[in-house]
Amino acid sequence: MMDAVMAVAGSWLLPAALWLIMFSMGLSLTVRDFRHIVVNSRAFLLGVGSMILLVPIAGVALAAAFAPTPALMMGLVLLATCPGGILSNLMTDLARGNVALSLSMSLFVSLIYVFTLPYTASIALHLIFAQEQAIAIPTGDALAKIMMVTVIPVAVGMLVNRLAARIAQRIEPTIKSAATIVLVTVFALIVAQEWATIASSFGVVLAIVVAMNVVNLGLAFLVSWAGGIRRPERVAIAMEHIVRQEGTAIFVAVSLLHRNDMSLPMIINTFIGMAIGIPAVSWLRRRAAAPHLRPETAA
């Protein structure tokens, strides 16, 4: 019975929830939002460079060194390559950061991610499961399926926003809430089915995921400091580094590779990223409210 439920969840519920979330994101976007990429180019290049290069290198190193099983190592590698999540834009706004920069980084890194993920997954599978040839991912087919639940729904949402902006504003919260409920339900089903794996490896995986988030936050502040980035841009870069878009990676693990155990690091990170991000937002808001703590605002 549980196997049948998980088959439906992996084949239908997860792709549908991800499609609706990306569609709802498109409902709030316009072509003008993409033009923000050329604004604050130094902060944008530093943030994107860190997300594309430094964060995956650090995450893969932690996965290779400490992952307890090959499947969990693969899940951690998928997590390490995730772009910033949709909520990073909201949390940047709450922390009084540069929302346009946050949105630009999310969009750009997500676009790169969609086209590179099938190849990243194939290479990782070959290296991690070299002795287990039963696991494979056809890159062309995977790219098409990933685009179907990412780029296409965002484009459709933008088109609806363009043609019927009032309707888009009205339906966006409902669609996003419904999709989130479905996504959380799928997560709960995966956790229930993989409870034995969680029980045996939870402590190690949790420690690795926390370490990845702490390292990512450190990288965000390091590149911002090295580049002389102002506070609002530092906030945006920091939020992008810890609030990740795990949904697509979970889709690859569950729907394309049919390995629910690979999705556990991403599911755990969904909560850990927020657990680190919410206190960070609170701290950054307090700093923003204290004029004597932000001398760079005069620049």
Coordinates of all heavy atoms in Angstrom, one line a residue, residues 1-91:
M1 N 0.8 -1.2 0.0 CA 0.0 0.0 0.0 C 0.9 1.3 0.0 O 0.6 2.2 -0.8 CB -0.9 0.0 1.2 CG -1.8 1.2 1.3 SD -3.0 1.3 0.0 CE -3.9 2.8 0.4
M2 N 1.9 1.3 0.9 CA 2.8 2.4 1.0 C 3.5 2.6 -0.3 O 3.7 3.8 -0.8 CB 3.7 2.3 2.1 CG 4.6 3.5 2.4 SD 3.6 4.9 2.9 CE 4.8 6.1 3.3
D3 N 3.9 1.5 -1.0 CA 4.7 1.7 -2.2 C 3.8 2.3 -3.3 O 4.2 3.1 -4.1 CB 5.1 0.3 -2.7 CG 6.3 -0.3 -1.8 OD1 6.9 0.6 -1.1 OD2 6.5 -1.5 -1.8
A4 N 2.5 1.9 -3.3 CA 1.6 2.5 -4.3 C 1.4 4.0 -4.1 O 1.3 4.8 -5.0 CB 0.2 1.8 -4.2
V5 N 1.2 4.4 -2.8 CA 1.1 5.8 -2.4 C 2.3 6.6 -2.8 O 2.2 7.7 -3.4 CB 0.8 5.9 -0.9 CG1 0.9 7.4 -0.5 CG2 -0.5 5.3 -0.5
M6 N 3.5 6.0 -2.6 CA 4.7 6.7 -2.9 C 4.9 6.8 -4.5 O 5.5 7.8 -5.0 CB 5.9 6.0 -2.3 CG 6.1 6.2 -0.8 SD 6.0 8.0 -0.3 CE 7.3 8.7 -1.3
A7 N 4.4 5.8 -5.2 CA 4.5 5.9 -6.6 C 3.7 7.0 -7.2 O 4.1 7.8 -8.1 CB 4.0 4.6 -7.2
V8 N 2.5 7.2 -6.6 CA 1.6 8.4 -7.0 C 2.3 9.7 -6.6 O 2.3 10.7 -7.3 CB 0.2 8.2 -6.3 CG1 -0.6 9.5 -6.6 CG2 -0.5 7.0 -6.9
A9 N 2.8 9.7 -5.3 CA 3.5 10.9 -4.8 C 4.7 11.3 -5.7 O 4.8 12.5 -6.1 CB 3.9 10.7 -3.4
G10 N 5.5 10.4 -6.1 CA 6.7 10.7 -6.9 C 6.4 11.0 -8.3 O 7.0 11.9 -8.9
S11 N 5.3 10.3 -8.9 CA 5.0 10.5 -10.3 C 4.1 11.7 -10.6 O 4.1 12.3 -11.6 CB 4.4 9.2 -10.9 OG 5.3 8.2 -10.7
W12 N 3.2 12.0 -9.6 CA 2.2 13.0 -9.8 C 2.2 14.2 -8.8 O 2.3 15.3 -9.2 CB 0.8 12.4 -9.8 CG 0.7 11.4 -10.9 CD1 0.8 10.0 -10.8 CD2 0.4 11.6 -12.3 NE1 0.6 9.4 -12.1 CE2 0.3 10.4 -13.0 CE3 0.1 12.8 -13.0 CZ2 0.1 10.3 -14.3 CZ3 -0.1 12.7 -14.4 CH2 -0.1 11.5 -15.0
L13 N 2.2 13.9 -7.5 CA 2.0 14.9 -6.5 C 3.2 15.8 -6.5 O 3.1 17.1 -6.5 CB 1.8 14.3 -5.1 CG 0.4 13.6 -4.9 CD1 0.3 13.1 -3.5 CD2 -0.7 14.5 -5.2
L14 N 4.4 15.3 -6.4 CA 5.7 16.1 -6.4 C 5.8 17.0 -7.6 O 6.0 18.2 -7.5 CB 6.9 15.2 -6.1 CG 8.2 15.9 -6.0 CD1 8.2 17.0 -4.9 CD2 9.3 14.9 -5.8
P15 N 5.7 16.4 -8.8 CA 5.9 17.3 -10.0 C 4.8 18.4 -10.1 O 5.0 19.5 -10.4 CB 5.7 16.3 -11.2 CG 6.1 15.0 -10.6 CD 5.7 15.0 -9.2
A16 N 3.5 18.0 -9.7 CA 2.4 19.0 -9.7 C 2.7 20.1 -8.7 O 2.5 21.3 -9.0 CB 1.1 18.3 -9.4
A17 N 3.1 19.7 -7.5 CA 3.4 20.8 -6.5 C 4.5 21.7 -6.9 O 4.4 22.9 -6.8 CB 3.7 20.1 -5.1
L18 N 5.6 21.1 -7.5 CA 6.7 21.9 -7.9 C 6.3 22.8 -9.1 O 6.6 24.0 -9.1 CB 7.9 21.0 -8.4 CG 9.2 21.7 -8.8 CD1 9.7 22.6 -7.6 CD2 10.2 20.7 -9.2
W19 N 5.5 22.3 -10.0 CA 5.0 23.1 -11.1 C 4.2 24.3 -10.6 O 4.3 25.4 -11.1 CB 4.1 22.2 -12.0 CG 3.9 22.7 -13.4 CD1 4.5 22.4 -14.6 CD2 2.9 23.7 -13.8 NE1 4.0 23.1 -15.6 CE2 3.1 23.9 -15.2 CE3 2.0 24.5 -13.1 CZ2 2.3 24.9 -15.9 CZ3 1.2 25.5 -13.9 CH2 1.4 25.6 -15.2
L20 N 3.3 24.0 -9.7 CA 2.4 25.1 -9.1 C 3.3 26.2 -8.4 O 3.0 27.4 -8.5 CB 1.4 24.6 -8.2 CG 0.2 23.8 -8.9 CD1 -0.7 23.1 -7.9 CD2 -0.6 24.7 -9.8
I21 N 4.3 25.7 -7.7 CA 5.1 26.7 -7.0 C 5.9 27.6 -8.0 O 6.0 28.8 -7.8 CB 6.1 26.0 -6.0 CG1 5.4 25.4 -4.8 CG2 7.3 26.9 -5.6 CD1 6.2 24.6 -3.9
M22 N 6.4 27.0 -9.0 CA 7.2 27.7 -10.0 C 6.2 28.6 -10.8 O 6.5 29.8 -11.1 CB 7.9 26.8 -11.0 CG 8.9 25.9 -10.3 SD 10.1 26.8 -9.3 CE 11.1 27.6 -10.5
F23 N 5.0 28.2 -11.0 CA 4.0 29.0 -11.7 C 3.6 30.2 -10.8 O 3.5 31.3 -11.4 CB 2.7 28.1 -12.0 CG 1.5 28.9 -12.5 CD1 1.5 29.4 -13.7 CD2 0.4 29.1 -11.7 CE1 0.4 30.2 -14.2 CE2 -0.7 29.8 -12.1 CZ -0.7 30.3 -13.4
S24 N 3.4 30.0 -9.5 CA 3.1 31.1 -8.6 C 4.3 32.1 -8.6 O 4.0 33.3 -8.5 CB 2.8 30.6 -7.2 OG 3.9 30.0 -6.6
M25 N 5.5 31.6 -8.7 CA 6.6 32.5 -8.8 C 6.5 33.4 -10.0 O 6.8 34.6 -10.0 CB 7.9 31.7 -8.8 CG 9.2 32.6 -8.8 SD 10.7 31.5 -8.7 CE 12.0 32.8 -8.9
G26 N 6.2 32.8 -11.1 CA 6.0 33.5 -12.4 C 4.9 34.5 -12.3 O 5.0 35.6 -13.0
L27 N 3.9 34.3 -11.5 CA 2.8 35.2 -11.4 C 3.2 36.6 -10.8 O 2.5 37.6 -11.0 CB 1.7 34.6 -10.5 CG 0.9 33.5 -11.1 CD1 -0.1 32.9 -10.1 CD2 0.1 33.9 -12.4
S28 N 4.3 36.6 -10.1 CA 4.8 37.8 -9.5 C 6.0 38.4 -10.2 O 6.6 39.4 -9.8 CB 5.2 37.6 -8.0 OG 6.2 36.6 -7.9
L29 N 6.4 37.9 -11.4 CA 7.5 38.4 -12.1 C 7.1 39.1 -13.4 O 6.1 38.8 -14.0 CB 8.4 37.2 -12.5 CG 9.1 36.5 -11.4 CD1 9.9 35.3 -12.0 CD2 10.0 37.4 -10.6
T30 N 7.9 40.0 -13.8 CA 7.8 40.7 -15.1 C 9.1 40.7 -15.8 O 10.2 40.4 -15.2 CB 7.3 42.1 -15.0 OG1 8.3 42.9 -14.3 CG2 6.0 42.2 -14.2
V31 N 9.1 41.0 -17.1 CA 10.4 41.1 -17.8 C 11.3 42.1 -17.2 O 12.6 42.0 -17.2 CB 10.1 41.5 -19.3 CG1 11.4 41.7 -20.1 CG2 9.3 40.4 -20.0
R32 N 10.8 43.2 -16.6 CA 11.6 44.2 -15.9 C 12.5 43.6 -14.8 O 13.6 44.1 -14.6 CB 10.7 45.3 -15.4 CG 10.1 46.2 -16.4 CD 9.5 47.5 -15.8 NE 8.5 47.1 -14.7 CZ 7.3 46.9 -14.9 NH1 6.8 46.9 -16.1 NH2 6.5 46.6 -13.9
D33 N 11.9 42.6 -14.2 CA 12.7 42.0 -13.1 C 14.0 41.4 -13.5 O 15.0 41.5 -12.8 CB 11.9 40.9 -12.4 CG 10.7 41.4 -11.7 OD1 10.8 42.5 -11.1 OD2 9.6 40.8 -11.8
F34 N 14.1 41.0 -14.7 CA 15.3 40.4 -15.3 C 16.4 41.5 -15.5 O 17.6 41.2 -15.6 CB 15.1 39.6 -16.5 CG 14.3 38.3 -16.3 CD1 12.9 38.3 -16.3 CD2 15.0 37.1 -16.0 CE1 12.2 37.1 -16.1 CE2 14.3 36.0 -15.8 CZ 12.9 36.0 -15.8
R35 N 15.9 42.7 -15.7 CA 16.8 43.8 -16.0 C 17.7 44.2 -14.8 O 18.7 44.8 -14.9 CB 16.1 45.0 -16.5 CG 15.4 44.8 -17.9 CD 14.5 45.9 -18.3 NE 13.8 45.6 -19.5 CZ 12.7 46.3 -19.9 NH1 12.3 47.3 -19.1 NH2 12.1 46.0 -21.0
H36 N 17.2 43.7 -13.6 CA 17.9 44.0 -12.4 C 19.3 43.4 -12.3 O 20.1 43.7 -11.5 CB 17.1 43.6 -11.1 CG 15.9 44.5 -10.9 ND1 16.0 45.8 -10.7 CD2 14.6 44.2 -10.7 CE1 14.8 46.3 -10.5 NE2 13.9 45.3 -10.5
I37 N 19.5 42.4 -13.2 CA 20.7 41.6 -13.2 C 21.9 42.6 -13.5 O 23.0 42.4 -13.0 CB 20.7 40.5 -14.3 CG1 19.7 39.4 -13.8 CG2 22.0 39.9 -14.5 CD1 19.5 38.3 -14.7
V38 N 21.7 43.6 -14.3 CA 22.8 44.5 -14.7 C 23.0 45.6 -13.6 O 23.9 46.4 -13.7 CB 22.5 45.2 -16.0 CG1 22.4 44.2 -17.1 CG2 21.2 46.1 -16.0
V39 N 22.1 45.6 -12.6 CA 22.3 46.6 -11.5 C 23.1 46.0 -10.4 O 23.0 44.8 -10.2 CB 20.9 47.0 -10.9 CG1 21.1 48.0 -9.8 CG2 20.0 47.6 -12.0
N40 N 24.0 46.8 -9.8 CA 24.9 46.2 -8.7 C 25.6 45.0 -9.2 O 25.7 44.0 -8.6 CB 24.1 45.8 -7.5 CG 23.3 47.0 -6.9 OD1 23.9 48.1 -6.7 ND2 22.0 46.8 -6.7
S41 N 26.3 45.2 -10.4 CA 26.9 44.1 -11.1 C 28.0 43.4 -10.2 O 28.2 42.2 -10.3 CB 27.5 44.5 -12.4 OG 28.4 45.5 -12.3
R42 N 28.7 44.2 -9.4 CA 29.8 43.6 -8.6 C 29.2 42.7 -7.6 O 29.7 41.5 -7.4 CB 30.6 44.7 -8.0 CG 31.8 44.1 -7.1 CD 32.7 45.2 -6.6 NE 32.0 46.1 -5.8 CZ 32.5 47.1 -5.1 NH1 33.8 47.3 -5.1 NH2 31.8 47.9 -4.3
A43 N 28.2 43.1 -6.9 CA 27.5 42.2 -5.9 C 26.9 41.0 -6.6 O 27.0 39.9 -6.0 CB 26.5 43.0 -5.1
F44 N 26.3 41.2 -7.7 CA 25.7 40.1 -8.4 C 26.7 39.1 -8.8 O 26.5 37.9 -8.6 CB 25.0 40.7 -9.7 CG 24.4 39.6 -10.6 CD1 23.2 39.0 -10.3 CD2 25.1 39.3 -11.7 CE1 22.7 38.0 -11.1 CE2 24.6 38.3 -12.6 CZ 23.4 37.7 -12.3
L45 N 27.8 39.5 -9.4 CA 28.8 38.6 -9.9 C 29.5 37.8 -8.7 O 29.7 36.6 -8.8 CB 29.9 39.4 -10.7 CG 29.4 39.9 -12.0 CD1 30.6 40.8 -12.7 CD2 29.1 38.8 -13.0
L46 N 29.7 38.5 -7.6 CA 30.3 37.9 -6.5 C 29.3 36.8 -5.9 O 29.7 35.7 -5.5 CB 30.7 38.9 -5.4 CG 31.9 39.7 -5.7 CD1 32.1 40.8 -4.7 CD2 33.2 38.8 -5.7
G47 N 28.1 37.2 -5.7 CA 27.1 36.3 -5.2 C 26.8 35.1 -6.1 O 26.8 34.0 -5.6
V48 N 26.7 35.3 -7.3 CA 26.5 34.2 -8.3 C 27.7 33.3 -8.4 O 27.6 32.1 -8.4 CB 26.1 34.8 -9.7 CG1 26.2 33.7 -10.7 CG2 24.7 35.4 -9.7
G49 N 28.9 34.0 -8.4 CA 30.1 33.2 -8.5 C 30.3 32.2 -7.3 O 30.7 31.1 -7.4
S50 N 29.9 32.8 -6.1 CA 30.0 31.9 -4.9 C 29.0 30.8 -4.9 O 29.3 29.7 -4.6 CB 29.7 32.8 -3.6 OG 29.8 32.0 -2.5
M51 N 27.7 31.1 -5.4 CA 26.7 30.1 -5.4 C 27.0 29.0 -6.4 O 26.7 27.8 -6.2 CB 25.4 30.7 -5.8 CG 24.8 31.5 -4.7 SD 24.2 30.6 -3.3 CE 23.0 29.6 -4.0
I52 N 27.7 29.3 -7.6 CA 27.9 28.4 -8.6 C 29.2 27.6 -8.4 O 29.3 26.4 -8.7 CB 28.0 29.1 -10.0 CG1 26.6 29.6 -10.4 CG2 28.5 28.2 -11.1 CD1 26.6 30.4 -11.7
L53 N 30.2 28.2 -7.7 CA 31.5 27.6 -7.6 C 31.8 27.2 -6.1 O 32.1 26.0 -5.8 CB 32.6 28.5 -8.1 CG 32.6 28.8 -9.6 CD1 33.6 29.8 -10.0 CD2 32.7 27.6 -10.4
L54 N 31.8 28.2 -5.2 CA 32.3 27.9 -3.9 C 31.4 27.0 -3.1 O 31.8 26.1 -2.4 CB 32.5 29.3 -3.1 CG 33.5 30.2 -3.8 CD1 33.7 31.5 -2.9 CD2 34.9 29.5 -4.0
V55 N 30.1 27.3 -3.1 CA 29.1 26.5 -2.3 C 29.1 25.1 -2.7 O 29.2 24.2 -1.9 CB 27.7 27.2 -2.4 CG1 26.6 26.2 -1.8 CG2 27.7 28.5 -1.7
P56 N 29.0 24.7 -4.0 CA 29.1 23.3 -4.4 C 30.4 22.6 -4.0 O 30.4 21.5 -3.6 CB 28.9 23.3 -6.0 CG 28.2 24.6 -6.2 CD 28.7 25.6 -5.2
I57 N 31.5 23.3 -4.2 CA 32.8 22.7 -3.8 C 32.8 22.4 -2.3 O 33.2 21.3 -1.9 CB 34.0 23.7 -4.2 CG1 34.1 23.7 -5.7 CG2 35.3 23.2 -3.5 CD1 35.1 24.8 -6.1
A58 N 32.4 23.3 -1.5 CA 32.4 23.1 0.0 C 31.4 22.0 0.3 O 31.7 21.1 1.1 CB 32.0 24.4 0.7
G59 N 30.2 22.0 -0.3 CA 29.2 21.0 0.0 C 29.6 19.6 -0.4 O 29.4 18.6 0.3
V60 N 30.2 19.5 -1.6 CA 30.7 18.2 -2.1 C 31.8 17.6 -1.2 O 31.9 16.4 -0.9 CB 31.1 18.3 -3.6 CG1 31.8 17.0 -4.0 CG2 29.9 18.5 -4.5
A61 N 32.7 18.5 -0.8 CA 33.8 18.1 0.1 C 33.2 17.5 1.4 O 33.7 16.5 1.9 CB 34.7 19.3 0.4
L62 N 32.2 18.2 2.0 CA 31.6 17.7 3.2 C 30.9 16.3 3.0 O 31.0 15.4 3.8 CB 30.6 18.7 3.8 CG 31.2 19.9 4.5 CD1 30.1 21.0 4.7 CD2 31.9 19.6 5.8
A63 N 30.2 16.2 1.9 CA 29.5 15.0 1.5 C 30.5 13.8 1.3 O 30.3 12.7 1.9 CB 28.7 15.2 0.3
A64 N 31.6 14.1 0.6 CA 32.6 13.0 0.4 C 33.3 12.6 1.6 O 33.6 11.4 1.8 CB 33.6 13.5 -0.7
A65 N 33.4 13.5 2.5 CA 34.2 13.2 3.8 C 33.3 12.5 4.8 O 33.8 11.7 5.6 CB 34.8 14.5 4.4
F66 N 32.0 12.8 4.9 CA 31.3 12.4 6.1 C 30.0 11.6 5.8 O 29.4 11.1 6.7 CB 30.9 13.6 6.9 CG 32.1 14.3 7.4 CD1 32.4 15.6 6.9 CD2 33.0 13.8 8.4 CE1 33.5 16.3 7.4 CE2 34.1 14.5 8.8 CZ 34.4 15.7 8.3
A67 N 29.5 11.6 4.5 CA 28.2 10.9 4.2 C 28.3 9.5 4.6 O 29.2 8.8 4.2 CB 27.9 11.1 2.8
P68 N 27.3 9.0 5.3 CA 27.3 7.6 5.8 C 27.0 6.5 4.7 O 27.4 5.4 4.9 CB 26.3 7.5 6.9 CG 25.3 8.6 6.6 CD 26.1 9.7 5.9
T69 N 26.3 6.9 3.7 CA 25.9 5.9 2.6 C 26.1 6.6 1.3 O 26.0 7.8 1.2 CB 24.5 5.4 2.8 OG1 23.6 6.5 2.5 CG2 24.3 4.8 4.2
P70 N 26.3 5.8 0.2 CA 26.3 6.4 -1.2 C 25.1 7.2 -1.5 O 25.1 8.3 -2.1 CB 26.5 5.2 -2.1 CG 27.2 4.2 -1.2 CD 26.6 4.4 0.2
A71 N 23.9 6.7 -1.2 CA 22.6 7.4 -1.5 C 22.6 8.7 -0.8 O 22.2 9.7 -1.4 CB 21.4 6.5 -1.1
L72 N 22.9 8.8 0.5 CA 22.9 10.0 1.2 C 24.0 11.0 0.7 O 23.8 12.2 0.7 CB 23.1 9.8 2.7 CG 21.9 9.1 3.4 CD1 22.2 8.8 4.8 CD2 20.6 10.0 3.3
M73 N 25.1 10.4 0.3 CA 26.2 11.3 -0.4 C 25.6 11.9 -1.6 O 25.8 13.1 -1.9 CB 27.4 10.5 -0.7 CG 28.5 11.3 -1.3 SD 29.9 10.3 -1.9 CE 30.5 9.6 -0.3
M74 N 24.9 11.2 -2.4 CA 24.3 11.7 -3.6 C 23.3 12.8 -3.3 O 23.2 13.8 -3.9 CB 23.6 10.6 -4.4 CG 23.0 11.0 -5.8 SD 24.3 11.5 -6.9 CE 23.3 12.4 -8.1
G75 N 22.5 12.6 -2.3 CA 21.5 13.6 -1.8 C 22.2 14.8 -1.4 O 21.8 16.0 -1.7
L76 N 23.3 14.7 -0.7 CA 24.1 15.9 -0.2 C 24.7 16.6 -1.4 O 24.8 17.9 -1.4 CB 25.1 15.5 0.8 CG 24.6 15.0 2.2 CD1 25.6 14.3 2.9 CD2 24.1 16.2 3.0
V77 N 25.2 15.9 -2.4 CA 25.7 16.5 -3.6 C 24.6 17.3 -4.3 O 24.8 18.5 -4.8 CB 26.3 15.5 -4.5 CG1 26.7 16.1 -5.9 CG2 27.6 14.9 -3.9
L78 N 23.4 16.7 -4.4 CA 22.3 17.4 -5.1 C 22.0 18.7 -4.3 O 21.7 19.7 -4.8 CB 21.1 16.5 -5.2 CG 21.2 15.4 -6.2 CD1 19.9 14.5 -6.0 CD2 21.3 15.9 -7.6
L79 N 22.0 18.6 -2.9 CA 21.7 19.7 -2.1 C 22.8 20.8 -2.3 O 22.5 22.0 -2.3 CB 21.7 19.3 -0.6 CG 21.6 20.4 0.4 CD1 20.3 21.2 0.2 CD2 21.7 19.8 1.8
A80 N 24.1 20.4 -2.4 CA 25.1 21.4 -2.5 C 25.0 22.2 -3.8 O 25.6 23.4 -3.8 CB 26.5 20.7 -2.5
T81 N 24.4 21.7 -4.8 CA 24.3 22.4 -6.1 C 23.0 23.2 -6.2 O 22.7 23.8 -7.3 CB 24.4 21.5 -7.2 OG1 23.5 20.4 -7.1 CG2 25.8 20.9 -7.2
C82 N 22.1 23.2 -5.2 CA 20.8 23.9 -5.3 C 21.0 25.4 -5.4 O 21.8 25.9 -4.7 CB 19.9 23.6 -4.1 SG 19.2 21.9 -4.1
P83 N 20.2 26.1 -6.1 CA 20.2 27.5 -6.1 C 19.4 28.1 -4.9 O 18.9 27.4 -4.2 CB 19.5 27.9 -7.5 CG 18.5 26.8 -7.6 CD 19.2 25.5 -7.1
G84 N 19.5 29.4 -4.8 CA 18.7 30.1 -3.8 C 17.2 29.8 -4.0 O 16.7 29.8 -5.1
G85 N 16.5 29.7 -2.9 CA 15.0 29.4 -3.0 C 14.2 30.7 -3.1 O 14.6 31.8 -2.9
I86 N 12.9 30.4 -3.4 CA 11.9 31.5 -3.5 C 11.8 32.3 -2.2 O 11.7 33.6 -2.3 CB 10.6 31.0 -3.9 CG1 10.6 30.2 -5.2 CG2 9.5 32.1 -4.0 CD1 9.4 29.4 -5.6
L87 N 11.9 31.7 -1.1 CA 11.7 32.4 0.2 C 12.9 33.3 0.5 O 12.8 34.1 1.4 CB 11.5 31.4 1.3 CG 10.1 30.7 1.4 CD1 10.1 29.7 2.5 CD2 9.1 31.7 1.6
S88 N 14.0 33.1 -0.2 CA 15.2 33.9 0.1 C 14.9 35.4 -0.3 O 15.4 36.3 0.4 CB 16.4 33.5 -0.8 OG 16.1 33.6 -2.2
N89 N 14.0 35.6 -1.3 CA 13.6 36.9 -1.7 C 12.8 37.6 -0.6 O 13.0 38.8 -0.2 CB 12.8 36.9 -3.0 CG 13.5 36.1 -4.1 OD1 12.9 35.4 -4.8 ND2 14.8 36.2 -4.2
L90 N 11.9 36.8 0.0 CA 11.0 37.3 1.1 C 11.9 37.6 2.3 O 11.7 38.7 3.0 CB 9.9 36.3 1.4 CG 9.1 36.6 2.7 CD1 8.4 37.9 2.5 CD2 8.2 35.4 3.0
M91 N 12.8 36.7 2.7 CA 13.6 36.9 3.8 C 14.6 38.1 3.7 O 14.9 38.8 4.6 CB 14.3 35.6 4.2 CG 13.4 34.5 4.6 SD 14.2 33.0 5.1 CE 14.7 33.5 6.8

